[in-house]
Amino acid sequence: MPLHEAVSGSEWWRSGVIYQVYPRSFADSNADGMGDLVGITSKLEHLDDLGVDAIWLSPFYPSPQKDAGYDVSNYMDVDPVFGSLADFDRMLEKAHELGLRVMIDLVPNHTSDQHPWFQEALSSEPESAERSFYHFRDGRGETGEIPPNNWLSLFGGPAWTRAEDGQWFLHLFDSSQPDLNWENRLVREAFEDILRFWLDRGVDGFRVDQPHAMGKQAGLPDHPYVETAGAGFIEGEPDPPMWFQDSVHEIFRSWRKILESYAGECAMCGEAYVLPLTKMAKWVRPDEFHQTFNFRFLDSPWEKDSLVDAINESFRAFDEVRAPSTWVLNNHDTIRHVSRFGGNYGRATASDGIGPNNPQPDNKLGLAKAKAATLFMLGLPGAAYLYQGEELGLPEHTTIEPKHRQDPTFFRTNGVRVGRDGARVPLPWVKGGSTNGFTEAQDAWLPQPNSYAGLSRDQQQHDLSTLAMYTQALKIRSELRLGEGSFDWISNTDLLTYQNGSTLVIHNFGTSSVELPAGEVLLSSAPLKGAKLPANASCWISI
Ligand code: NOJ
């Protein structure tokens, strides 16, 4: 029996390829230097040509943009910088005409501090109904000058900020992102309305931001091992009081019911950072999330043993609950895989970024490894996520000047952690000008590095480009139904090989070219040398 058996004829989200659109950096239609919904609509054909099944749109809601839109001040509208609800509807309509599904980002752990709920909370009394939308507490110490507990913000510094009247409010992220109190029934009801608002407009599902943070342990006790875990957690240690509390599961069950009351296989993917994956599997039981991002895979360095462990752990955990594993190598919080694999930057999602003062990546080597990693990933059964620009082989922008930086991580750590801006740089469409076709404005909201000109989409309309490899891979993946296929290891040597149906997927972890097994080569991440696969390359072989 293979490690993972094929699942056929099942729902689209079990095997689909979902492309993350980061609206501010995708395409600008109105020459203000910031991407927008009309820009996305105008380029959807390119995504159809690429061959993805769905797009996931990062937040486009009204927001002060303190955390690039993950600080929402109105969940039922569009920020004017991105357009209007009518623009959204048109974008959705066009996507559906092309056969692309659309998932949108839901940000339930926190709002913006400009959200009317928070503004009302601030102007209300301690212990009031308005304050109970959030976590307000008195401080410790004689005058309440010490935060209520020892929790830290993921973006640096304490997780508490003091309001004018002396009470403190909790924010696991920036101080402009107060955490909602999910014990409050009114919060739950409000989000059910938000889900229905967008489902009524026709969206195909949600990517849910930080669902593992929504529940907080009653009484908000100190985090017992904050010294070693910082704002996060350490795998294997007891559950910390702010992450993956059991109380959240009934919320997801209620959301799943809402999604299932709509036609069309609507799906939700949790950005659940829960490890080990055996624990994460509980989040994708049949009545909870349809899938969650696989951070074990994303976090894995491009090293054989770690990769093998991540894949084994994924199939074992998710098959147990009959959920698909997802596979992902990039997103807007992670150093782009070209640069990540072109250097040694440790954990991918640490959101520390790479700055001008860090050792610089070897992006040539990184591109070879990144293309190979993608080919290795796209052969795996399950759902796969791509992040805009990876199909062009874009590297991280590692030399952004401080004056351009936007990520709150940069500001909350006084630049010690440069943050995630380097992965969020506007896309190059057509070589030339200061932004390679991203905007007609003189400048985009973030500058591109020089290398983006040659990587523009119009420069990649030939068979040997990274774009061509991605397009071919998605075409073959779909024709051979690899997403629904089976999985078994064939060899765990330098030539790491697995089999999916009648396809062998091979990566050469060695240092020299290796003879390939017999079969028809369907696709390769680098030109073969005779019948040999070069080091740092992957290929697909039909047997
Ligand atoms: C995860 C999002 O992907 C990230 O960009 C954001 O900063 C945090 N959640 C907080 O919303």
Side-chain angles (χ1 to χ4, degrees), residues 55-167:
I55 58 174
W56 143 38
L57 233 61
S58 280
F60 49 80
Y61 314 104
S63 159
Q65 306 290 337
K66 291 278 174 52
D67 184 23
Y70 283 93
D71 48 323
V72 179
S73 55
N74 178 355
Y75 289 90
M76 298 197 196
D77 206 347
V78 170
D79 194 303
V81 84
F82 297 125
S84 62
L85 274 175
D87 294 336
F88 179 84
D89 291 341
R90 176 67 199 119
M91 189 272 311
L92 191 60
E93 188 186 17
K94 170 99 178 275
H96 285 165
E97 278 163 22
L98 291 167
L100 295 169
R101 296 174 191 262
V102 178
M103 295 171 87
I104 61 172
D105 224 304
L106 185 74
V107 189
N109 178 63
H110 44 266
T111 67
S112 158
D113 61 356
Q114 299 308 307
H115 195 291
W117 297 337
F118 192 70
Q119 289 299 312
E120 280 160 27
L122 279 184
S123 58
S124 301
E125 297 294 312
E127 313 306 327
S128 59
E130 288 80 2
R131 285 216 167 170
S132 73
F133 262 60
Y134 296 87
H135 297 281
F136 278 86
R137 291 288 185 281
D138 292 331
R140 294 173 294 173
E142 244 169 64
T143 57
E145 75 285 5
I146 305 170
N149 67 26
N150 66 358
W151 298 6
L152 298 174
S153 153
L154 262 303
F155 292 161
W160 294 92
T161 290
R162 212 165 182 191
E164 266 178 20
D165 68 0
Q167 272 211 315

Side-chain angles (χ1 to χ4, degrees), residues 223-238:
H223 182 181
Y225 51 100
V226 71
E227 301 288 334
T228 42
F233 65 92
I234 292 177
E235 197 176 329
E237 293 278 348

Side-chain angles (χ1 to χ4, degrees), residues 241-308:
M242 73 293 278
W243 301 121
F244 30 82
Q245 299 296 305
D246 280 340
S247 58
V248 291
H249 292 285
E250 68 180 36
I251 303 171
F252 308 144
R253 287 191 196 107
S254 73
W255 291 357
R256 176 95 178 216
K257 280 199 191 116
I258 293 176
L259 261 71
E260 286 179 350
S261 72
Y262 285 77
E265 296 182 1
C266 297
M268 52 179 187
C269 175
E271 190 217 13
Y273 207 99
V274 182
L275 293 170
L277 294 182
T278 42
K279 197 170 195 164
M280 172 102 99
K282 290 193 182 145
W283 291 57
V284 286
R285 288 174 290 199
D287 57 350
E288 299 199 29
F289 280 106
H290 296 76
Q291 55 194 231
T292 48
F293 288 128
N294 187 341
F295 287 110
R296 170 68 85 225
F297 184 76
L298 178 67
D299 278 352
S300 171
W302 194 244
E303 288 165 12
K304 186 167 69 70
D305 291 347
S306 148
L307 184 65
V308 168

